[in-house]
Amino acid sequence: MNEAQAVSALGALAHAQRLRVFRSLVVAGPEGLTPSVLADQLDVARNALSFHLKELAHAGLVTIEQQGRNLIYRADFSQMNGLLGYLTEHCCQGSTCEVSDSSSACTSC
Amino acid sequence: MNEAQAVSALGALAHAQRLRVFRSLVVAGPEGLTPSVLADQLDVARNALSFHLKELAHAGLVTIEQQGRNLIYRADFSQMNGLLGYLTEHCCQGSTCEVSDSSSACTSC
DNA sequence: CCATTGATTCAATAATTGATGTATTATTGA
DNA sequence: TCAATAATACATCAATTATTGAATCAATGG
C-alpha cells in the first residue's frame, strides 16, 4: 500500500452510499453480493450503484466475479487490511498510544 | 462512530497532503507538532496547511492545544481507532477473513 | 431468433472541493 | 502601545466529483 493507493481507497470510502455498499459487502463476507441484491438492500438506483461499485473496484477495495449473467462483488480484505496498516504504521514513535478502548488497531505500538 | 462521522473522517484523509499531515502527526505521537514544523517538514504553504488542519480537526481526527503563541496539533487516536473499528465491525458474518498477512485489523473475525 | 432481465456506459447538469492571494486576529517582547 | 511573528479566515477561480435519465451491451430461456 502506497500513498496513492491509500488516497484512492479513502476517497472511494468517503461517500455515504459507497461506504454503505462497502460495509454491506464486508458483512456479506466471502459469499459476496450481486448488484441487484445490493440495490434492493440499500435502496439505490442501479445505475448509481454501478457507478459506485466501479469506484470501489477502481480503488481495489472490491473484486468482481462473473457468474452467468450475474456479477458477484466481494470486499477485498487484503486491500482493506493494507489500508488499515498504512494508516497506523510507525505510530507514536514507539511509545504507547493513548487509546481508551481495547481495540488492537494500533498494532505497531 | 456513526456513518456521518466516518464519511467525514475518510473524506478528510482522502487527500495526499492531508494524509501526509495526519501520518506525520501519528508518527509524532502524544507530543504533537506545530503548524510551523509541519509546514517545514512537508513543504506546504502555511495557509494551505492551516486549511487542511482545519479539515482534519473538523473531522475530529486531530486535536488542537494552544501553548503561548504556538498551536500544538495531535492525532486523535481514539477517533482513529473508532474509524478503524467502524470499517471492520461485523465483517465476514463470523467466518474467517481471507487475509494473507498477520495484520490484526479485522478484529471481529 | 426474440423477449426479458441484469448490468453498465454515456452525456449533461449540478454541486462540491482545492489552490491561491490578501486581509485579519492574537500573542510576545520591547 | 507598537512592531514582529504565528496562525487563521475569507474570497475567488479552477478543477474535480456526483446525479440523473436514456441508451447500450450481455446472458438466459422459450
Side-chain angles (χ1 to χ4, degrees):
Chain A
M1 175 71 62
N2 59 34
E3 181 185 87
Q5 288 176 303
V7 169
S8 174
L10 289 165
L13 292 174
H15 185 284
Q17 288 193 326
R18 282 200 293 272
L19 185 55
R20 280 187 211 127
V21 168
F22 183 72
R23 276 162 54 85
S24 285
L25 290 175
V26 167
V27 169
E31 292 175 21
L33 293 172
T34 65
S36 309
V37 174
L38 275 168
D40 291 348
Q41 187 173 318
L42 301 173
D43 197 26
V44 180
R46 306 219 166 173
N47 53 359
L49 179 64
S50 178
F51 171 80
H52 292 311
L53 282 169
K54 197 175 68 172
E55 292 284 301
L56 289 170
H58 184 258
L61 287 167
V62 304
T63 62
I64 313 177
E65 181 195 338
Q66 184 145 18
Q67 279 192 2
R69 88 168 110 181
N70 289 316
L71 296 182
I72 312 284
Y73 282 87
R74 295 187 181 88
D76 186 329
F77 291 100
S78 66
Q79 185 76 359
M80 186 65 194
N81 282 317
L83 175 62
L84 300 184
Y86 182 82
L87 290 176
T88 53
E89 66 184 336
H90 308 315
C91 69
C92 312
Q93 296 179 314
S95 60
T96 56
C97 285
E98 295 165 322
V99 292
S100 52
D101 60 359
S102 60
S103 168
S104 63
C106 201
T107 51
S108 53
C109 291
Chain B
M1 176 71 61
N2 59 33
E3 181 184 89
Q5 288 175 302
V7 168
S8 174
L10 289 166
L13 292 174
H15 184 284
Q17 289 193 325
R18 282 199 293 271
L19 186 55
R20 283 188 209 126
V21 168
F22 182 71
R23 276 162 55 84
S24 286
L25 289 174
V26 167
V27 170
E31 294 175 19
L33 293 172
T34 65
S36 309
V37 173
L38 275 168
D40 291 347
Q41 188 174 316
L42 301 173
D43 198 26
V44 180
R46 306 220 166 171
N47 52 0
L49 179 64
S50 176
F51 172 78
H52 293 312
L53 283 169
K54 196 176 69 173
E55 293 283 302
L56 289 169
H58 185 256
L61 287 167
V62 303
T63 61
I64 313 176
E65 180 195 339
Q66 185 145 17
Q67 281 193 358
R69 89 168 108 180
N70 288 315
L71 295 181
I72 312 285
Y73 282 88
R74 295 188 182 86
D76 186 329
F77 291 100
S78 67
Q79 185 76 359
M80 186 65 193
N81 282 319
L83 175 63
L84 300 185
Y86 182 82
L87 290 176
T88 54
E89 66 185 337
H90 308 317
C91 68
C92 310
Q93 296 179 313
S95 59
T96 55
C97 284
E98 295 164 322
V99 293
S100 51
D101 59 359
S102 60
S103 167
S104 63
C106 200
T107 51
S108 54
C109 292

